[in-house]
């Protein structure tokens, strides 16, 4: 699925690229800081989907979307904006979705699932046996390969992914969402948008007030936060 991002804010474009990088079936074919420049990308790269801001200098995102209605093979449009007041106009130009800044991974996941079904994207599933395959990680100036069964937890911090074993912490270029897919045959569980834990290493689930919990894993000093949305399923998975 070919995607273009049109937004006058560089930070917003970078954030969207980061969020979309977790989908192996997405190719970002271009980005633009204005609707006018975005139109050039649309005509030359022919993206399947536009992630489009609304309030931009000059031509607005809604104006661009209306102009695209005349195209024979127009891209699908997802408005990504800080303004909630344009939802009706978005509906009129048949937008697939309307995302509000700051973006949430869960929001993006729902939108991508909708787009995947709409465009009939075929995703090659990765059916890796737990007894096969190792994960490439960065260890200072070299690449090493570790067994997934040795990973205690994974976390994301300041656009970098860290993979923690009992003995060492490594860095990895992949986002958590993609690692979660690769490790789906192992007992990993997403306890927080920034944390993925292998349940076999969990030693304690500690109440932290108002329905919030923390996890302790074997041999680690760090307490891992558990989001409220994941507590119930986590307790079930841990058979509590």
């Amino acid at each position: 699925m070919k995607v273009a991002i049109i937004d006058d804010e560089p930070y917003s474009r970078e954030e969207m690229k980061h969020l979309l990088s977790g989908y192996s079936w997405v190719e970002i074919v271009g980005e633009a800081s204005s609707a006018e420049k975005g139109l050039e990308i649309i005509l030359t790269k022919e993206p399947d989907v536009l992630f489009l801001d609304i309030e931009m200098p000059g031509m607005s995102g809604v104006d661009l979307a209306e102009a695209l209605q005349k195209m024979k093979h127009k891209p699908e449009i997802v408005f990504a904006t800080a303004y909630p007041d344009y939802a009706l106009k978005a509906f009129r130009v048949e937008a697939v979705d309307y995302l509000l800044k700051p973006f949430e991974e869960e929001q993006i996941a729902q939108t991508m699932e909708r787009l995947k079904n709409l465009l009939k994207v075929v995703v090659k599933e990765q059916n890796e046996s737990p007894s096969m395959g190792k994960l490439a990680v960065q260890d200072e100036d070299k690449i090493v390969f570790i067994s997934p069964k040795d990973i205690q937890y994974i976390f994301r911090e300041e656009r970098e992914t860290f993979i923690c074993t009992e003995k060492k912490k490594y860095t990895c270029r992949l986002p958590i969402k993609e690692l979660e897919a690769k490790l789906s045959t192992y007992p990993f569980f997403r306890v927080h948008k920034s944390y993925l834990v292998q349940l076999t290493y969990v030693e304690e689930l500690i109440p932290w007030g108002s329905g919030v919990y923390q996890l302790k894993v074997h041999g680690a000093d760090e307490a891992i936060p558990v989001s409220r949305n994941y507590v119930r399923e986590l307790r079930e998975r841990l058979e509590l």
Side-chain angles (χ1 to χ4, degrees):
M1 187 176 82
K2 296 191 295 183
V3 169
I5 302 167
I6 304 173
D7 194 315
D8 63 319
E9 297 178 4
Y11 175 79
S12 292
R13 295 199 304 272
E14 287 300 316
E15 184 182 16
M16 182 59 73
K17 285 192 294 184
H18 165 65
L19 290 166
L20 295 180
S21 68
Y23 298 89
S24 59
W25 41 276
V26 169
E27 178 189 4
I28 298 175
V29 296
E31 61 176 288
S33 59
S34 69
E36 291 83 359
K37 292 178 181 177
L39 188 55
E40 295 177 20
I41 293 173
I42 294 164
L43 295 175
T44 57
K45 302 292 187 179
E46 298 182 343
D48 301 304
V49 179
L50 293 183
F51 282 84
L52 181 60
D53 191 14
I54 291 179
E55 287 284 354
M56 294 183 287
M59 190 181 193
S60 75
V62 173
D63 292 337
L64 176 59
E66 288 175 343
L68 295 179
Q69 299 304 302
K70 301 172 185 177
M71 290 181 62
K72 186 175 181 180
H73 300 293
K74 65 181 180 68
E76 302 295 343
I77 294 171
V78 175
F79 282 114
T81 177
Y83 301 94
D85 304 331
Y86 293 93
L88 182 58
K89 288 185 178 181
F91 176 76
R92 287 174 179 164
V93 293
E94 300 176 346
V96 174
D97 216 337
Y98 193 93
L99 301 174
L100 287 175
K101 301 175 184 179
F103 307 125
E104 296 285 343
E105 282 191 43
E106 290 79 6
Q107 276 187 313
I108 299 293
Q110 291 172 5
T111 299
M112 298 309 291
E113 187 66 23
R114 191 173 294 124
L115 287 167
K116 184 172 71 172
N117 294 332
L118 181 65
L119 296 170
K120 297 180 171 56
V121 176
V122 177
V123 181
K124 184 179 179 181
E125 299 292 340
Q126 297 184 359
N127 296 318
E128 184 181 30
S129 167
S131 62
M132 298 174 60
K134 291 193 174 184
L135 197 64
V137 295
Q138 188 76 28
D139 184 16
E140 296 179 354
D141 59 346
K142 61 183 181 292
I143 302 293
V144 298
F145 297 88
I146 61 174
S147 172
K149 65 181 178 61
D150 294 330
I151 299 171
Q152 294 180 307
Y153 64 98
I154 300 167
F155 70 98
R156 186 85 175 174
E157 187 176 83
E158 295 183 355
R159 298 185 179 277
E160 194 165 16
T161 302
F162 297 90
I163 296 178
C164 302
T165 67
E166 190 169 356
K167 296 180 179 179
K168 200 161 187 178
K169 180 166 70 175
Y170 304 92
T171 58
C172 179
R173 62 179 180 82
L174 298 177
I176 283 186
K177 190 170 185 67
E178 192 165 334
L179 285 170
E180 186 176 16
K182 284 180 174 291
L183 297 168
S184 61
T185 53
Y186 295 82
F188 282 89
F189 185 79
R190 188 74 166 269
V191 299
H192 184 278
K193 68 179 182 179
S194 301
Y195 282 85
L196 185 66
V197 175
Q198 185 151 205
L199 298 181
T200 50
Y201 289 100
V202 174
E203 288 189 335
E204 293 181 75
L205 182 61
I206 308 165
W208 203 248
S210 302
V212 179
Y213 287 79
Q214 289 187 329
L215 272 182
K216 291 287 289 182
V217 299
H218 177 74
D221 295 328
E222 180 183 10
I224 297 171
V226 181
S227 295
R228 287 187 181 88
N229 294 342
Y230 301 110
V231 170
R232 182 174 180 179
E233 187 178 352
L234 174 62
R235 290 174 65 91
E236 291 173 355
R237 291 282 296 273
L238 292 172
E239 297 181 349
L240 295 176

